[in-house]
Amino acid sequence: MDNFHTVIIGAGPAGLQCAATLAAQGCKVIVLERQKVIGPKICAGGIPHHALHDLRLPAELIEKVFHTQHIYTPWQRAVLKEKEPVIATVDRKNLGQWMLQQAREKGAIVLNNAPVIKVDKANVYLKDRKIAYQYLVGADGSSSLVRRYLNIATTKQGAGINYQIPVKMANMEWHLNPRAFNSGYAWVFPHGQTTSVGIYAERRDVPPQQLFGRFCLWAKENKISLNDAKLGAALINFDYQGWNFGNTFLAGDAAGIASGFTGEGIYPAIVSGRTIAKSIITPGHDPRRLKRLIKKQQQHNRLQKFFTGNKVICQITLEMLVLAVRSGLIKFDLLEIY
Ligand SMILES: Cc1cc2nc3c(=O)[nH]c(=O)nc-3n(C[C@H](O)[C@H](O)[C@H](O)COP(=O)(O)OP(=O)(O)OC[C@H]3O[C@@H](n4cnc5c(N)ncnc54)[C@H](O)[C@@H]3O)c2cc1C
């Protein structure tokens, strides 16, 4: 029977980072991924610029870097320029393949085409293989099997719709409109040769079918053609209820640490994967950075909840907030959106 120090389910950013960190310390690690190809994921690919230094991503992985954000509300358009870059975009396949290479170079075994169908307190089960673990990491995304095994319910989820259109666009845009998108927003995130356009909102706040209709209307009004791109939609879990459950851990979207307000989850996933690895290697490790991210996430979730309230109040608050940022009364980075 196979026996591993740590079994990680899911080769997204959380799982691969966890694997690389553990393997670098000589732990016998296996990552099980159900997809054939590691990396591709329905995602706009925005990463806060400060995270790039932390991740030491090679320059060729960065598609575009933005100093300026264009914010649209029903009443205003704000152009917020910063001296330092604020956000960059990455292609998820390229990011995943690079992280895969890092993990394998450090000695982790990563299996693709390996869907996990069951877990129990000692083993993980594939269709034709049983793998025993000392530690189990659920890095298996928003519909996590490990989370269900731990009996942790998920009630707070965002839904995101993304089209990667084969058009080059220049500006990074955020379109906020409480009447149409409630607490969510539509975006334009340029990549190198393509552009991600999409919409995000809390699932219960705007049901997915309605969200899609509003997105199509928004795209039409903004003269964005969706004809040459494929629709992609996925959930984002932001129902955080802990990450450390004895010898079982939840990382990234499985733990629900993405922002409920923006849907940003790549960097939190990576930080959580790394923190879990460090906590396994050194019990009592201080998870300072993860704690900071979770605190920010809780603030974002409160903001998200606020914007599900009375539409008129939300609209006025939003306009006042954007006006305050435009006129310099509030600094954009103080809002800690990204
Ligand atoms: C439309 C949209 C746009 C987004 N845009 C952004 C953005 O611009 N910036 C940002 O930071 N975040 C964004 N996100 C969120 C971001 O994609 C996630 O937060 C991030 O991918 C979480 O990483 P993860 O490793 O936790 O999970 P995932 O990336 O979801 O990886 C989980 C992996 O586990 C695998 N898996 C699941 N179940 C099993 C199983 N039973 N057996 C084996 N493998 C399994 C899956 O195949 C998957 O590869 C967006 C999300 C959506 C839906």
Side-chain angles (χ1 to χ4, degrees):
M1 189 178 75
D2 295 330
N3 215 314
F4 280 83
H5 171 272
T6 303
V7 174
I8 299 170
I9 306 179
L16 290 172
Q17 181 63 56
C18 187
T21 312
L22 281 167
Q25 296 300 314
C27 299
K28 192 181 167 201
V29 185
I30 189 165
V31 185
L32 304 166
E33 167 58 50
R34 69 179 168 196
Q35 301 291 347
K36 284 197 186 86
V37 181
I38 287 171
K41 155 97 192 169
I42 295 158
C43 182
I47 292 205
H49 197 263
H50 63 80
L52 297 181
H53 298 293
D54 176 26
L55 304 176
R56 299 200 190 103
L57 285 188
E60 64 269 21
L61 275 192
I62 297 157
E63 300 260 309
K64 270 192 164 236
V65 171
F66 301 90
H67 289 70
T68 305
Q69 306 294 305
H70 295 254
I71 300 180
Y72 293 77
T73 71
W75 299 345
Q76 321 171 59
R77 178 181 170 192
V79 181
L80 309 175
K81 279 197 187 127
E82 295 289 318
K83 269 202 211 104
E84 298 300 323
V86 185
I87 305 183
T89 48
V90 293
D91 175 280
R92 284 298 298 266
K93 182 175 179 199
N94 295 343
L95 174 70
Q97 289 289 314
W98 179 77
M99 292 189 76
L100 170 67
Q101 193 191 337
Q102 301 289 307
R104 283 189 171 148
E105 274 173 17
K106 305 236 163 36
I109 296 173
V110 184
L111 298 186
N112 53 342
N113 233 342
V116 173
I117 50 176
K118 187 180 142 190
V119 296
D120 64 26
K121 64 179 183 343
N123 301 293
V124 160
Y125 300 83
L126 302 173
K127 208 170 101 210
D128 46 12
R129 190 170 167 187
K130 177 170 153 185
I131 304 172
Y133 66 81
Q134 202 176 324
Y135 296 96
L136 174 65
V137 179
D140 46 350
S142 290
S143 311
S144 167
L145 177 78
V146 181
R147 189 175 170 109
R148 274 178 275 134
Y149 158 69
L150 288 168
N151 237 336
I152 300 172
T154 304
T155 52
K156 292 186 267 178
Q157 279 186 319
I161 293 172
N162 185 64
Y163 282 85
Q164 202 72 31
I165 58 171
V167 174
K168 280 176 151 185
M169 288 169 90
N171 297 334
M172 177 166 264
E173 298 176 5
W174 306 74
H175 293 248
L176 308 160
N177 182 345
R179 280 171 196 260
F181 311 147
N182 297 21
S183 61
Y185 66 98
W187 70 78
V188 174
F189 281 13
H191 287 225
Q193 300 301 317
T194 62
T195 299
S196 155
V197 292
I199 192 165
Y200 166 81
E202 209 258 358
R203 201 181 174 194
R204 286 173 309 184
D205 194 22
V206 190
Q209 203 55 37
Q210 226 178 67
L211 191 66
F212 181 63
R214 289 176 190 183
F215 173 67
C216 291
L217 201 65
W218 168 84
K220 202 171 161 199
E221 281 167 7
N222 286 276
K223 299 187 173 48
I224 295 173
S225 165
L226 306 172
N227 292 340
D228 298 325
K230 219 172 82 200
L231 162 73
L235 297 173
I236 305 172
N237 173 23
F238 62 91
D239 199 347
Y240 172 72
Q241 293 185 44
W243 56 274
N244 183 341
F245 304 89
N247 71 338
T248 303
F249 299 84
L250 292 177
D253 279 9
I257 55 166
S259 159
F261 192 50
T262 63
E264 183 214 340
I266 302 171
Y267 183 56
I270 291 173
V271 171
S272 76
R274 190 195 290 144
T275 304
I276 289 168
K278 287 186 174 172
S279 304
I280 290 175
I281 296 159
T282 315
H285 164 75
D286 179 9
R288 204 176 304 159
R289 184 168 296 170
L290 182 58
K291 270 190 190 158
R292 256 205 324 266
L293 278 176
I294 291 168
K295 194 171 161 212
K296 181 173 141 188
Q297 188 236 18
Q298 300 294 301
Q299 283 164 1
H300 275 209
N301 290 2
R302 281 194 288 277
L303 216 51
Q304 185 277 325
K305 200 164 172 212
F306 171 81
F307 279 103
T308 58
N310 179 289
K311 294 280 164 289
V312 178
I313 294 175
C314 292
Q315 172 97 41
I316 292 170
T317 310
L318 170 71
E319 299 294 352
M320 279 167 51
L321 207 58
V322 173
L323 188 64
V325 176
R326 269 175 69 196
S327 56
L329 277 175
I330 300 179
K331 271 194 68 66
F332 179 62
D333 55 3
L334 266 186
L335 293 177
E336 285 205 275
I337 296 300
Y338 248 84

